[in-house]
Amino acid sequence: MFKTPQGKEIFVVDGHTHFWDGSPANQKNIHGKQFIECFYAYHSNLSPKEQLWEKSKFEKYSADDLYRDLFIDGPDDVAILNSTYLNDFYKNGFNSIERNSAVTKKYPERFILNGAFDPRDGEKALEYIHYMKETYDITGVKLYTAEWNGASKGWRLNDPDAYRCFELCEKLGIKNIHVHKGPTIIPLNKDAFDVHDVDYAATDFQGLNWIVEHCGLPRLDDFCWIATQETNVYGGLAVALPFIHTRPRYFAEVIAELLFWIGPDKILFGSDYAIWTPRWLVEKFWAFQIPDDIAKERGVALTDEIKEKILGLNAARLYNINIAEKKAALAKHPIALAAE
Amino acid sequence: MTPSSLRAERETEVWAAVAMVNDPELDEAVTEMGFVERIDVAEDGSVALDFRLPTYWCSPNFAFLMLDGVRNALGSLFWRPEFTITLHDHLFADEVNQGVAAGKGFAEIFEELAPGEDLEALRAKFQMKAFQKRQEAALAQMRQADWSTDAMLGLSRQELEAPPAGLETAFERYRQALRARFPDAAPGAPAFVDWEGRPVAAEAFGDYLARLRAVRINMEFNGALCRGLKQVRYHEKSADAELTLVDFLPPPEPNCGASARR
């Protein structure tokens, strides 16, 4: 719960969080080492100084750190915990659904656990989707189209194998498909993060919600165009939002473009924890005003009402969270670290 | 001339030649970005150059375009030196360095690593983006200085040669891109044309600017990340410092290529 300076309570759904193990013990090779180092560079580069972590903690933090940073020190009411495998880089995966589920089981009211799959695994991917549904009753997945898999350095959402997976997702009620389309962290094939495949998949799977993480940056214009055409395409603010600290005018331009093109109902807050922690992001976002010249140029405003949608109401709608019921349920469990 | 002063002079020459190579994705000189870490000129004139990108994961396509540019720059030096280019700490460092050592061209190495990618098409695409970004920077500064739409669109190429105070850098950078794209245009032709050379209609100017802005927003995202990630990776500056882009702020301190050497 975020309390505004005026005392208003804002319901916060953090649309993008992780519980990873990038520690040297889990690294399979140089790629694993360089992957977490690149994340750490994002963290160091865009965080306010007082929010910087030691590298060793960043590589592997505890479940208690996660809970404290999101819900005790942080303003999140509910967090979406994504799974990311990167099995070519990490021995036990970067953050597998098993690792994540150990935390979500402890705090079932707080987390929404999302799975992941790789369509290139063929039949096994379909089996895995069944397994995740049966074991964890997932309602969403997070997909990394640029993930390596043997000789393949990426895949596209409109590949036939991917379509078979989406058909199954639709059937099983796994409705929310988060797609990492952002900075080229694993850019072997230059367009593994190209956003145009979202257009095909979103058209062909109208029953699924497509949440494009990082708003497709640095392909914001392509993303905006697609998300304007497709009613079931949403934009996640992770990575874009931290610019609010280092380059506020730049963030203003990005959010103005998003508001102009896709509107206030399709933008989702996400901290990308543990790259960034949600508290400072939410505080700065609430205090943020788009400079007049930029707002005028695009004819948009970032009102308190819109901020409330972005911070929680939009994601709550996608994940069928009844806010009144959720608040009541959360009130029954005082915020505290669960005993081991 | 003593051998050491000759070497120093040649080193300066090499830095100047390499400074003409741009990061295609950011439209900024590789030396300004600090990607060229070391240049050594030996007594026999041969050149050794170390190249390092902000992250291990930097897009290989752009790495290839830059290294190709560096190779061309070194190949055009008047004393025709032997040279070695070494890429450090990159996903493809081994492949590139071994390929280069084996006498392969970058296009050949690239084809092996990413079959079917067209480097020339990629280069052309980013030349277009650089043109648009420089044009946007010039127009944005003119608008800030209260130029009317008609005055901006009525400006001729000739008039672009004589920028009013404050607009020198923006005009110069745009002029370079304009000359490269339309070398034969008449002096009286409009200064602000689209990538295809069509004049921009006053009534469509708002939409046109919005499209240019989108190009710049994308490039600025990469630029800010690249600079920031590189600073953090090599602890060059306070991580909290505001990151800058050459189009929006005064030119960087001279000799900044050297500052990246250690």
Side-chain angles (χ1 to χ4, degrees):
Chain A
M1 186 69 58
F2 174 68
K3 218 171 196 176
T4 72
Q6 291 73 37
K8 187 172 184 213
E9 292 188 341
I10 305 297
F11 188 80
V12 177
V13 179
D14 194 333
H16 198 107
T17 65
H18 304 278
F19 180 47
W20 64 60
D21 177 3
S23 66
N26 192 29
Q27 293 165 9
K28 206 180 222 177
N29 48 34
I30 177 77
H31 306 314
K33 176 177 184 291
Q34 293 281 2
F35 189 83
I36 190 72
E37 278 186 4
C38 187
F39 268 28
Y40 189 61
Y42 273 75
H43 164 77
S44 311
N45 174 15
L46 294 180
S47 298
K49 264 197 190 94
E50 61 280 8
Q51 303 291 340
L52 292 177
W53 287 14
E54 286 297 317
K55 181 132 171 273
S56 56
K57 179 184 172 190
F58 189 85
E59 286 171 341
K60 188 179 183 181
Y61 45 91
S62 69
D64 287 354
D65 290 330
L66 171 77
Y67 184 81
R68 188 185 310 108
D69 289 337
L70 299 183
F71 307 112
I72 301 178
D73 296 344
D76 292 0
D77 289 285
V78 175
I80 294 165
L81 194 61
N82 287 320
S83 302
T84 317
Y85 285 80
L86 299 173
N87 283 328
D88 277 21
F89 297 173
Y90 294 99
K91 293 173 192 160
N92 301 314
F94 193 52
N95 45 86
S96 67
I97 198 165
E98 287 80 10
R99 176 176 168 80
N100 286 336
S101 71
V103 188
T104 57
K105 255 185 229 149
K106 259 163 97 176
Y107 308 105
E109 289 293 347
R110 289 288 177 185
F111 286 104
I112 292 167
L113 176 61
N114 273 353
F117 59 81
D118 186 336
R120 290 167 300 186
D121 295 339
E123 284 302 317
K124 278 195 174 149
L126 299 172
E127 283 167 26
Y128 197 65
I129 294 168
H130 277 294
Y131 157 79
M132 290 187 296
K133 185 68 195 176
E134 283 158 20
T135 317
Y136 304 107
D137 194 21
I138 58 167
T139 54
V141 287
K142 162 82 187 291
L143 304 176
Y144 243 114
T145 51
E147 185 163 351
W148 292 11
N149 188 332
S152 163
K153 309 299 184 199
W155 56 280
R156 299 178 62 77
L157 296 172
N158 53 334
D159 289 342
D161 281 343
Y163 268 29
R164 291 169 66 209
C165 293
F166 298 139
E167 279 159 15
L168 182 58
C169 286
E170 207 165 20
K171 203 174 105 192
L172 297 178
I174 302 169
K175 283 195 68 159
N176 295 311
I177 316 290
H178 295 248
V179 192
H180 177 110
K181 292 285 185 186
T184 41
I185 283 183
I186 319 177
L188 195 64
N189 290 358
K190 80 171 175 319
D191 277 338
F193 285 142
D194 177 272
V195 292
H196 287 101
D197 54 342
V198 177
D199 205 358
Y200 295 102
T203 303
D204 291 335
F205 293 93
Q206 298 281 342
L208 300 177
N209 301 313
W210 300 85
I211 302 111
V212 176
E213 299 297 349
H214 322 302
C215 309
L217 274 164
R219 298 166 196 85
L220 184 68
D221 49 344
D222 290 345
F223 164 71
C224 284
W225 180 248
I226 292 164
T228 307
Q229 312 293 315
E230 307 289 345
T231 51
N232 53 337
V233 173
Y234 298 76
L237 278 184
V239 183
L241 185 53
F243 280 94
I244 205 168
H245 168 64
T246 47
R247 298 172 70 85
R249 255 193 88 82
Y250 181 68
F251 175 71
E253 289 194 292
V254 171
I255 197 83
E257 289 295 307
L258 289 170
L259 288 170
F260 174 81
W261 286 103
I262 75 175
D265 297 319
K266 293 168 76 181
I267 306 171
L268 270 57
F269 162 68
S271 65
D272 222 337
Y273 184 87
I275 306 185
W276 298 285
T277 45
R279 181 175 168 166
W280 71 268
L281 288 169
V282 171
E283 283 172 354
K284 279 187 189 271
F285 182 67
W286 191 264
F288 189 75
Q289 298 295 334
I290 300 177
D292 284 344
D293 59 321
I294 296 174
K296 222 175 98 192
E297 189 90 56
R298 270 312 190 191
V300 297
L302 184 59
T303 61
D304 285 359
E305 193 193 353
I306 291 175
K307 288 173 184 169
E308 199 171 352
K309 287 181 174 182
I310 293 173
L311 285 174
L313 304 186
N314 292 341
R317 205 173 60 243
L318 291 184
Y319 279 90
N320 290 324
I321 300 170
N322 179 317
I323 293 175
E325 285 172 16
K326 180 57 88 176
K327 279 183 176 169
L330 291 175
K332 276 193 231 152
H333 304 276
I335 299 180
L337 293 169
E340 286 301 325
Chain B
M1 186 175 278
T2 65
S4 69
S5 70
L6 177 66
R7 275 172 69 184
E9 201 169 278
R10 281 176 165 174
E11 216 172 278
T12 310
E13 192 94 10
V14 179
W15 277 106
V18 175
M20 303 305 287
V21 179
N22 270 10
D23 177 328
E25 205 183 13
L26 311 177
D27 187 31
E28 295 187 36
V30 292
T31 47
E32 264 162 35
M33 295 301 293
F35 297 166
V36 179
E37 210 170 49
R38 183 185 70 104
I39 288 177
D40 259 357
V41 180
E43 263 177 47
D44 65 0
S46 64
V47 178
L49 183 147
D50 288 343
F51 202 82
R52 193 190 303 264
L53 292 163
T55 86
Y56 182 78
W57 307 102
C58 286
S59 186
N61 324 46
F62 302 123
F64 280 110
L65 287 180
M66 284 184 267
L67 290 170
D68 204 33
V70 170
R71 204 186 50 158
N72 291 337
L74 297 184
S76 66
L77 292 165
F78 70 85
W79 68 97
R80 302 274 159 205
E82 300 267 310
F83 56 81
T84 52
I85 303 168
T86 312
L87 174 64
H88 291 276
D89 291 339
H90 188 270
L91 180 57
F92 280 148
D94 289 348
E95 286 88 341
V96 170
N97 296 332
Q98 283 160 16
V100 171
K104 287 184 195 162
F106 285 110
E108 201 183 336
I109 303 167
F110 186 74
E111 178 59 29
E112 284 168 19
L113 290 169
E117 297 270 10
D118 182 348
L119 270 190
E120 278 317 307
L122 192 68
R123 201 192 300 271
K125 183 171 160 191
F126 280 88
Q127 274 161 357
M128 175 183 79
K129 288 181 185 230
F131 174 91
Q132 291 169 330
K133 180 185 158 201
R134 291 181 183 201
Q135 188 178 68
E136 201 260 358
L139 289 170
Q141 289 188 27
M142 291 165 87
R143 292 172 82 214
Q144 256 178 17
D146 288 327
W147 284 57
S148 70
T149 300
D150 287 344
M152 287 186 282
L153 296 181
L155 198 79
S156 70
R157 282 179 64 128
Q158 201 163 22
E159 287 167 308
L160 205 58
E161 305 285 337
L167 291 173
E168 293 90 349
T169 310
F171 273 29
E172 169 57 24
R173 280 178 63 76
Y174 175 55
R175 219 162 47 219
Q176 284 169 6
L178 190 65
R179 260 201 305 262
R181 174 67 177 156
F182 304 108
D184 303 323
F192 291 103
V193 291
D194 70 12
W195 178 243
E196 303 304 331
R198 293 174 297 229
V200 181
E203 60 276 13
F205 191 51
D207 288 346
Y208 182 71
L209 278 179
R211 281 202 300 279
L212 292 185
R213 191 164 55 235
V215 171
R216 197 243 312 149
I217 287 175
N218 288 340
M219 292 178 84
E220 203 174 337
F221 180 76
N222 288 332
L225 280 181
C226 280
R227 272 180 196 280
L229 295 182
K230 182 164 184 307
Q231 282 168 7
V232 174
R233 188 177 193 189
Y234 304 113
H235 309 290
E236 282 171 3
K237 264 191 208 167
S238 148
D240 214 29
E242 173 81 8
L243 308 165
T244 63
L245 275 183
V246 66
D247 272 327
F248 306 96
L249 288 167
E253 305 118 62
N255 212 16
C256 68
S259 70
R261 287 191 269 174
R262 41 202 62 227

